[in-house]
Amino acid sequence: AVGGLGVDAEPHAPLPEGVLDAVALPAERARTAALRAAHPHVCWDRLLFSAKESVYKAWFPLTGRFLDFAEADITVEPAGTFAARLLVPGPRVGGAELTAFDGRFLVERGLLLTAVTVPAPGA
């Protein structure tokens, strides 16, 4: 059962100049650079942007509030997953505060896809 969903699709291409600096925390930029050095075939900057978009799309229906790019710290694993740690109080789902989102990504056919699911209350 799913209590929330956030999905984003982007072209598998680098972000325009300056966008990464505008959307990423310093630690995220450092992790993105390390991923790019280890796995240069993936546009990790665009993947980070897409993951943040997926988190926002799961967040907003639960809260009705804006989530700034700097309010979630995302860690990407090359195997196809990512985790977003909220840096602001999260919504209550099933009586418990949601402090993080877990997601998955796929790069295929020139597209980069990210998705976040929120477990249904009681699931």
Side-chain angles (χ1 to χ4, degrees):
V2 176
L5 178 67
V7 177
D8 188 63
E10 299 283 334
H12 185 226
L15 286 172
E17 187 71 32
V19 174
L20 183 64
D21 289 338
V23 303
L25 298 166
E28 291 171 324
R29 288 193 296 272
R31 291 190 298 263
T32 298
L35 286 167
R36 184 176 37 247
H39 308 279
H41 61 282
V42 175
C43 296
W44 297 105
D45 58 343
R46 181 77 68 161
L47 193 141
L48 177 66
F49 175 82
S50 182
K52 287 192 176 243
E53 287 291 308
S54 287
V55 168
Y56 177 76
K57 290 172 183 179
W59 160 275
F60 188 81
L62 297 171
T63 66
R65 297 188 323 257
F66 179 76
L67 182 69
D68 190 81
F69 286 113
E71 295 178 328
D73 183 12
I74 297 189
T75 303
V76 178
E77 295 296 330
T81 63
F82 63 92
R85 182 176 51 92
L86 294 174
L87 304 177
V88 295
R92 296 195 76 73
V93 177
E97 182 182 356
L98 186 63
T99 60
F101 291 90
D102 291 318
R104 299 187 67 88
F105 70 87
L106 175 67
V107 178
E108 194 168 306
R109 297 182 189 175
L111 292 175
L112 194 151
L113 309 165
T114 59
V116 170
T117 57
V118 178

